[in-house]
Amino acid sequence: MQITKIETFKQAVTLKKPFTVSFATLQELETIIVKVTTDSGIVGYGEAAPFEPVTAESIATELPVLQLFAEKLKGADPCSIEDIHARMDQVILGHTAAKAGIDIACYDILGKQAGLPLYKLLGGSSNSIESDYTLGIDSTDKMVAEAKKYVAAGFKILKVKVGLDDRHDVEVVRAIRQAVGPDVELRIDANQAWTPKQTIRLMRQFSDMVSAVEQPLSAERGDGLPFVRAHVEQPVMADESVHNAFDAYKLLAAEGADIVNIKLQKSSGLYGAQQINAVAEAAGAPVMLGCMVETRISLTAAVHFVAAHRNARYADLDAFMDFKEPSWLRGGFTQDGGTYTLTDAPGLGIECDL
Ligand SMILES: [Mg+2]
């Protein structure tokens, strides 16, 4: 099989309400849908959803890179995923979102060619996963109301964004815990906002109210994570500190994390995600699949990855709930509270009109 054409479609994504994390408030975003056409008639869909603060990539940087890939990959076999990545890496270093867009589309084609849903192609047996829901930073009242709403809707795990104000963070986590009772799991994500000592002090206050802390220190200060991990009771999850397998290897060898948050847009897609997961599993660390503001295309790829890998124990794949889903995109998975069930259609199982 040969790639005959790669097209890109820039699409607006407008969140239902502003979403605040420690370093940014998001509302109007864009994403790039990637369509790969082959000489066999099989078409694959992928997505590049760059997020500047995390990967230093934007729509403006990834569109021309995807154009370069479109020229370089013409005639290549989309089912030879390692070769596809080697060719992309020859063109340009980094640009993990653009590479994820091509990677996801090629896996979609691979699944369609094999007649298998992606989770089976990757070795999995179950088509259902459990995701959390993430609460952005807001007033205590609003965050508690949102927590109750999503628990009532069937979510058993909530991720709470923190990191703007220590007192508010402790107050809001305590209020959410009181509102949702003891059986809902709460994780917090400081998105790089804290110092090592601040993390240790705050995690003592959060005590058993929370089950893990995500990325307390800035990505550049990953060298402080072993100190933090040694002094906090709760598991420490690395997100912005880990983009690829080498980052995971360095951090886990230094005892700097208990869990790794893989995002397909950081890892250049499923191929890189598998490498990170293998390193983490060897180090005894489970992984979570997280997301940027992504549509159902990239999210479905991540759901397949979680369904396929035992070591992918957690999922934070809730972005599609925060915006009005486009009419040109359907399928992938159905959702009942935090439980997502993949369709058994070949490849991603996505229907896209683009
Ligand atoms: Mg995070």
Side-chain angles (χ1 to χ4, degrees):
M1 197 191 301
Q2 289 190 345
I3 293 174
T4 52
K5 193 165 58 170
I6 297 178
E7 296 163 276
T8 53
F9 303 87
K10 187 171 77 165
Q11 298 293 324
V13 177
T14 304
L15 299 184
K16 290 174 186 164
K17 59 185 177 60
F19 183 82
T20 300
V21 302
S22 66
F23 59 75
T25 294
L26 315 172
Q27 183 149 30
E28 299 286 336
L29 294 107
E30 289 176 317
T31 191
I32 305 166
I33 308 304
V34 178
K35 181 179 182 181
V36 176
T37 304
T38 65
D39 61 354
S40 72
I42 295 178
V43 170
Y45 287 96
E47 179 173 1
F51 188 45
E52 295 97 318
V54 174
T55 56
E57 298 164 9
S58 66
I59 300 292
T61 65
E62 297 318 273
L63 277 173
V65 170
L66 281 160
Q67 189 52 47
L68 291 174
F69 292 162
E71 288 156 26
K72 182 79 177 178
L73 296 176
K74 209 177 239 180
D77 183 350
C79 298
S80 303
I81 303 276
E82 185 169 298
D83 177 59
I84 293 286
H85 276 277
R87 289 179 190 231
M88 292 195 291
D89 291 342
Q90 277 168 10
V91 171
I92 197 161
L93 186 72
H95 294 279
T96 55
K99 288 173 183 172
I102 301 284
D103 169 280
I104 294 167
C106 288
Y107 273 101
D108 189 25
I109 292 168
L110 190 56
K112 286 170 176 166
Q113 167 78 357
L116 289 172
L118 203 47
Y119 75 91
K120 282 194 180 166
L121 193 76
L122 297 174
S125 58
S126 163
N127 67 344
S128 120
I129 71 147
E130 194 72 24
S131 175
D132 65 29
Y133 182 78
T134 303
L135 307 173
I137 300 173
D138 209 326
S139 69
T140 302
D141 289 351
K142 283 189 183 159
M143 289 178 76
V144 167
E146 180 128 300
K148 284 161 86 173
K149 177 178 144 187
Y150 282 94
V151 168
F155 283 86
K156 300 180 185 80
I157 311 158
L158 296 175
K159 175 163 137 176
V160 183
K161 292 289 189 181
V162 295
L164 278 184
D165 179 314
D166 293 0
R167 273 221 321 242
H168 175 69
D169 291 344
V170 176
E171 177 191 288
V172 86
V173 168
R174 194 169 286 147
I176 291 172
R177 172 54 75 207
Q178 218 153 41
V180 300
D183 297 332
V184 174
E185 188 180 335
L186 298 181
R187 292 190 216 116
I188 54 173
D189 186 356
N191 284 106
Q192 317 181 58
W194 295 337
T195 65
K197 286 191 174 178
Q198 189 182 11
T199 306
I200 293 161
R201 179 168 50 77
L202 282 166
M203 292 313 292
R204 285 191 183 138
Q205 294 183 61
F206 289 121
S207 176
D208 59 2
M209 289 191 294
V210 304
S211 59
V213 57
E214 186 173 334
Q215 196 69 38
L217 312 185
S218 81
E220 291 77 32
R221 293 309 314 269
D223 59 335
L225 284 171
F227 173 77
V228 164
R229 181 172 174 264
H231 289 87
V232 305
E233 265 179 45
Q234 303 89 338
V236 174
M237 188 187 302
D239 176 1
E240 289 93 330
S241 287
V242 175
H243 292 234
N244 53 47
F246 184 58
D247 291 343
Y249 167 71
K250 274 187 299 186
L251 187 60
L252 293 166
E255 309 261 341
D258 299 280
I259 309 167
V260 175
N261 183 354
I262 299 174
K263 291 175 180 161
L264 298 181
Q265 302 296 327
K266 289 186 299 179
S267 68
S268 301
L270 295 155
Y271 180 74
Q274 283 186 298
Q275 294 177 325
I276 297 171
N277 182 53
V279 168
E281 191 164 19
V287 303
M288 177 169 88
L289 264 282
C291 61
M292 309 292 191
V293 177
E294 301 165 14
T295 75
R296 193 168 273 270
I297 293 180
S298 182
L299 291 173
T300 299
V303 176
H304 277 288
F305 189 92
V306 174
H309 294 95
R310 205 166 301 178
N311 195 54
R313 218 171 291 164
Y314 312 103
D316 176 27
L317 300 168
D318 53 358
F320 71 100
M321 283 183 265
D322 293 334
F323 53 88
K324 190 176 176 299
E325 284 209 89
S327 57
W328 44 264
L329 185 58
R330 297 168 301 279
F333 57 88
T334 56
Q335 179 213 1
D336 179 14
T339 305
Y340 297 5
T341 305
L342 289 157
T343 73
D344 267 327
L348 291 174
I350 281 287
E351 288 170 54
C352 182
D353 299 333
L354 297 176

